[in-house]
Amino acid sequence: MKRGFIIRFVSLLFLVGFFTVDLYSQNTHKDFKGKITLKSYAGEWKWENENKTETLVFYLRDTTWEWHGKELDHIYGTYKYIRNDSVIVDNTNMKPSSEIDVIDMPIYGGADEEDDQGNIWSLYIEFHDTSTDKQSSYDSSLSYSIGKNGPQLHLKLVSEPAWWEGNEDFLARSKEEEEKLKRLSKAYRLPGWSIPNNVTLTKVVSK
């Protein structure tokens, strides 16, 4: 009698556990309904390599600004990259001002698309490599996910030639502008970036 009770009790625990896991797996996406917004991307994000000899940190903010009479929601930010205790690039002192528009910040982007639950899982971004003046195309992205250590962002930077390349003399209003455009055209064709690409940053939660 006692043994039969134990078997039935263990079986019941198994069934409860099975249905709990099953229900969780079915409701996981529903739990995020409308919760992954641009504000979810705001904050400090960090990536380190396995040996902890490289550290990349993004500082992102969400903002609303007016463009041609319309209010637009976007993300902008700065970054810092350290390798072997040496600072490779650090533009964290940059802020939007009368001289620097939000769109000209080192990281700038907006929502790609919302899913049917109203969540934003990916941003298109324009990344400015302040070490070389190279800029990414709008095919570059930050993709949001939930990892075992919390929210994560996967960075993908895509290169493309400058749209004005070959027409610098026609577009420039002065010789100085022409030289600047030609310099930027060369920067756009530089291989790689001054920071790691195709890495996943984890959100830093203050304790």
Side-chain angles (χ1 to χ4, degrees):
M1 177 72 93
K2 190 174 181 181
R3 182 183 177 190
F5 171 78
I6 293 175
I7 292 174
R8 287 195 296 273
F9 181 71
V10 171
S11 299
L12 179 61
L13 286 177
F14 173 79
L15 289 172
V16 169
F18 173 81
F19 284 115
T20 301
V21 172
D22 187 58
L23 285 172
Y24 176 77
S25 65
Q26 291 178 16
N27 292 323
T28 298
H29 292 290
K30 294 180 182 178
D31 290 341
F32 290 113
K33 185 174 182 180
K35 292 183 179 180
I36 311 302
T37 67
L38 280 181
K39 290 186 182 297
S40 304
Y41 291 80
E44 180 181 344
W45 303 80
K46 184 178 181 181
W47 168 84
E48 288 183 321
N49 67 343
E50 291 184 2
N51 300 325
K52 297 188 182 299
T53 56
E54 297 180 71
T55 302
L56 175 65
V57 184
F58 278 14
Y59 301 92
L60 304 179
R61 294 186 177 183
D62 62 303
T63 185
T64 300
W65 62 293
E66 190 171 310
W67 185 73
H68 292 281
K70 294 183 178 180
E71 288 192 344
L72 303 175
D73 296 324
H74 286 93
I75 283 287
Y76 72 91
T78 56
Y79 58 92
K80 177 170 58 177
Y81 175 49
I82 300 172
R83 185 174 62 218
N84 295 324
D85 296 324
S86 297
V87 177
I88 306 302
V89 56
D90 183 356
N91 48 51
T92 53
N93 62 333
M94 291 183 63
K95 296 179 181 179
S97 64
S98 57
E99 297 180 353
I100 304 176
D101 290 333
V102 171
I103 197 171
D104 294 322
M105 290 294 288
I107 302 171
Y108 170 80
D112 264 342
E113 291 183 3
E114 293 185 2
D115 65 14
D116 56 2
Q117 298 293 324
N119 298 300
I120 300 172
W121 294 103
S122 180
L123 302 181
Y124 68 84
I125 62 167
E126 183 171 355
F127 178 87
H128 180 200
D129 192 328
T130 53
S131 291
T132 63
D133 264 342
K134 180 179 179 178
Q135 293 200 16
S136 70
S137 75
Y138 275 112
D139 289 327
S140 303
S141 63
L142 286 173
S143 301
Y144 192 98
S145 63
I146 306 295
K148 63 179 181 179
N149 295 319
Q152 296 180 326
L153 290 182
H154 183 76
L155 171 68
K156 184 182 77 170
L157 298 178
V158 179
S159 304
E160 71 175 9
W163 62 267
W164 62 79
E165 186 175 347
N167 295 297
E168 292 88 349
D169 55 343
F170 175 76
L171 294 172
R173 293 169 294 181
S174 65
K175 193 65 178 176
E176 290 75 16
E177 277 194 4
E178 182 180 348
E179 291 302 317
K180 181 179 180 179
L181 288 175
K182 286 182 177 180
R183 188 167 62 252
L184 289 175
S185 294
K186 289 182 180 179
Y188 276 48
R189 286 193 172 275
L190 289 173
W193 304 90
S194 297
I195 69 168
N197 190 15
N198 288 312
V199 295
T200 301
L201 300 91
T202 301
K203 194 163 194 175
V204 178
V205 180
S206 57
K207 297 180 180 179

